[in-house]
Amino acid sequence: MSVPRTRRAMAWSIDFALVLAAASVLAVFTFHRLSALVTDVPELATRSGFDLLTSRGDVLDASERLGLSLWNTSVLYVEEAFGLLVLATFLYQWACLALAGRTVGKALLGLRVSSCRGRRAALRAALTTTADIAVYAVACVLLVEGHLVLSVLVWAVAVVVFLLNGLSVLAPGRRSLADRMAGTSVTGLGLSTPGAMPPVRTS
């Protein structure tokens, strides 16, 4: 008996809500880092003074270098936040699958991932993270770095990968693209796996 699509969708929604919560925490943390960077008056004064001295009186050049330095540092903070989000998502998926065979969302909905230990747990976690978060993160980083066209293209790829991973659950077997590539399947507690023989009732 296949796992109902609604249960899988609800389990995914819970797990994705946890990812969004982590993203919100990282966003607040990054905002405070950026605020501290801009409002650190002594540091800015020291840096601008040093730039002015080394520019031989060229105020415009010193100002440009200071602004470029602040921008590059800000971009680095944003990139670090996206990197931490991808890493946190992978570690969440991998730890849950390797230790319990299910994520928090699947546990709450009475689902588990079969045959998911060792390398398969790491592979499925990597594939799920890629489909849900990683490709979108790359698109956002490219946008921040000023590569608008490439960012749009990667964003389109992210949408395609996300849909392929999710819509494959509608096919017979109810296996996502990550399941098919990792050699796993999602089953429900109390539900027999596909191809299993029904129990024999005795009088």
Side-chain angles (χ1 to χ4, degrees):
M1 182 177 180
S2 300
V3 176
R5 293 190 298 269
T6 53
R7 288 174 64 184
R8 290 207 62 174
M10 291 176 65
W12 176 86
S13 298
I14 294 172
D15 290 327
F16 197 71
L18 295 176
V19 173
L20 291 180
S24 299
V25 172
L26 286 171
V28 172
F29 176 68
T30 303
F31 175 78
H32 284 295
R33 292 184 74 187
L34 294 174
S35 298
L37 177 66
V38 176
T39 57
D40 191 355
V41 177
E43 172 66 20
L44 288 177
T46 301
R47 189 184 305 178
S48 60
F50 178 78
D51 289 340
L52 182 59
L53 288 175
T54 57
S55 67
R56 297 180 180 180
D58 190 341
V59 178
L60 292 178
D61 180 64
S63 301
E64 182 180 353
R65 281 194 290 172
L66 176 61
L68 184 60
S69 176
L70 291 176
W71 172 253
N72 289 336
T73 303
S74 300
V75 170
L76 177 62
Y77 287 171
V78 173
E79 291 176 346
E80 288 176 347
F82 278 113
L84 287 174
L85 178 61
V86 173
L87 178 61
T89 303
F90 169 77
L91 291 177
Y92 164 71
Q93 290 280 343
W94 173 74
C96 289
L97 295 177
L99 296 176
R102 66 185 75 176
T103 59
V104 173
K106 288 180 174 60
L108 292 176
L109 271 296
L111 304 177
R112 70 179 301 111
V113 182
S114 64
S115 304
C116 198
R117 288 292 185 271
R119 292 182 178 180
R120 286 190 178 183
L123 178 57
R124 192 184 191 279
L127 293 170
T128 302
T129 301
T130 300
D132 289 350
I133 294 296
V135 187
Y136 288 104
V138 172
C140 292
V141 167
L142 289 172
L143 180 62
V144 172
E145 290 185 346
H147 305 292
L148 178 60
V149 176
L150 187 57
S151 174
V152 172
L153 292 176
V154 175
W155 189 272
V157 172
V159 173
V160 171
V161 172
F162 178 83
L163 291 177
L164 286 176
N165 185 58
L167 293 180
S168 60
V169 176
L170 303 178
R174 298 285 191 265
R175 300 173 70 196
S176 66
L177 185 61
D179 284 322
R180 298 173 191 276
M181 296 181 68
T184 60
S185 61
V186 176
T187 60
L189 299 181
L191 295 177
S192 59
T193 57
M197 294 296 292
V200 178
R201 300 182 60 184
T202 59
S203 56

